[in-house]
Amino acid sequence: MAEEVTLLDFWPSPFGMRAKIALREKGVHFDLREEELLSNKSPLLLQMNPIHKKIPVLIHNGKPVCESHIIVQYIDETWGPESPLLPSDPHERAHARFWADYVDKKIFPSGLAVWRSTGEDQEAAKKEFIEGLKVMEGELRDKAYFGGERFGFLDVSLIPFYSWFYAVETLTDCTIGDECSKLMGWAKRCMQRETVAESLPDQHKVYDFMSEVRKKLQAQ
Ligand SMILES: N[C@@H](CCC(=O)N[C@@H](CS)C(=O)NCC(=O)O)C(=O)O
């Protein structure tokens, strides 16, 4: 029986990008359904993720998997054992998961705060955001990818945010590139992978989207 794989997505979402990268890394063919997230969530999304009502949702043969890191791990366990995203050693696996959790708990919220805030709050948010990225650089050290020579789970977790950097820098006068040159080198290396380049939207398109939403938020 042919497999049915559908991804409910919203193009600027870094969480959706994680799922797309992982599916493409494993060579899985999938049907991409774009949600009208801001105005009109589909009945399928509400049915498949009734708890959080958020994308991404991976639907594999009718069964939903929610939450991007859980989706990436599901993809890793289900397809392409010859090209694993997580390491085989349990401690190294736990280590990769710890840092992916750091991305969600630290990098994403502080990046969002930079974009949303103004004035003094924004300066404080920028400081926290850059500090978090520097901590990630410390974990990267001189490796090609976070796990070593192979592109893996933590790279999938963090690289989607690179598509937001131009918008954050331009809208808020924040200099990520100058502050975190090692991380930029890693990001450019990741972008050379077809699976990543195909999954991240154009940074100018993200800029247009983020600047529109920011204007609406500031008008409220
Ligand atoms: N922790 C979730 C976060 C997913 C998330 O925040 N999705 C956003 C889009 S970026 C969403 O669906 N928002 C809709 C809403 O909040 O109603 C994950 O990792 O998948």
Side-chain angles (χ1 to χ4, degrees):
M1 190 185 83
E3 290 196 295
E4 282 181 21
V5 183
T6 300
L7 182 70
L8 307 185
D9 189 34
F10 180 52
W11 70 267
S13 167
F15 305 106
M17 292 173 216
R18 286 176 179 163
K20 285 181 278 196
I21 296 170
L23 286 165
R24 289 177 174 138
E25 281 288 327
K26 297 288 185 160
V28 179
H29 293 285
F30 61 101
D31 175 25
L32 189 62
R33 290 205 202 171
E34 187 69 16
E35 283 288 323
E36 286 174 41
L37 211 55
L38 305 182
S39 52
N40 185 21
K41 290 178 183 172
S42 73
L44 185 63
L45 173 60
L46 301 179
Q47 180 196 343
M48 292 290 159
N49 190 356
I51 305 299
H52 296 304
K53 305 176 179 65
K54 289 185 179 190
I55 65 90
V57 181
L58 180 77
I59 311 172
H60 184 200
N61 294 333
K63 291 192 281 191
V65 183
C66 303
E67 290 292 312
S68 60
H69 281 146
I70 296 174
I71 293 173
V72 174
Q73 291 177 68
Y74 177 84
I75 292 168
D76 200 30
E77 288 165 10
T78 306
W79 291 285
E82 66 288 350
S83 49
L85 292 169
L86 274 151
S88 55
D89 176 77
H91 188 263
E92 284 177 27
R93 246 192 342 260
H95 188 81
R97 288 184 181 126
F98 168 85
W99 283 106
D101 186 54
Y102 181 86
V103 172
D104 276 1
K105 289 195 175 130
K106 221 35 199 180
I107 305 295
F108 173 62
S110 58
L112 204 61
V114 175
W115 168 62
R116 277 190 177 157
S117 57
T118 51
E120 271 178 30
D121 290 346
Q122 191 177 68
E123 288 313 308
K126 276 184 203 173
K127 198 163 164 276
E128 198 182 326
F129 181 50
I130 297 291
E131 268 169 18
L133 292 177
K134 281 188 181 294
V135 171
M136 292 304 302
E137 268 194 334
E139 171 56 18
L140 179 65
R141 299 190 291 280
D142 289 318
K143 294 173 284 181
Y145 298 110
F146 279 97
E149 287 308 305
R150 286 177 64 101
F151 179 82
F153 184 65
L154 186 50
D155 305 300
V156 176
S157 172
L158 184 63
I159 192 60
F161 296 97
Y162 180 64
S163 65
W164 285 30
F165 282 5
Y166 171 77
V168 171
E169 287 192 314
T170 315
L171 290 168
T172 70
D173 208 13
C174 176
T175 50
I176 306 167
D178 297 347
E179 304 261 9
C180 306
S181 57
K182 202 182 270 185
L183 205 63
M184 288 305 113
W186 160 83
K188 293 201 174 99
R189 201 153 39 247
C190 291
M191 286 301 284
Q192 283 165 6
R193 298 180 78 81
E194 224 176 281
T195 57
V196 176
E198 211 186 320
S199 305
L200 267 56
D202 179 78
Q203 55 183 9
H204 297 99
K205 194 176 162 199
V206 176
Y207 169 85
D208 290 343
F209 171 78
M210 288 179 79
S211 97
E212 270 313 298
V213 177
R214 195 163 186 257
K215 271 188 222 146
K216 283 185 193 148
L217 286 173
Q218 285 175 348
Q220 278 171 7

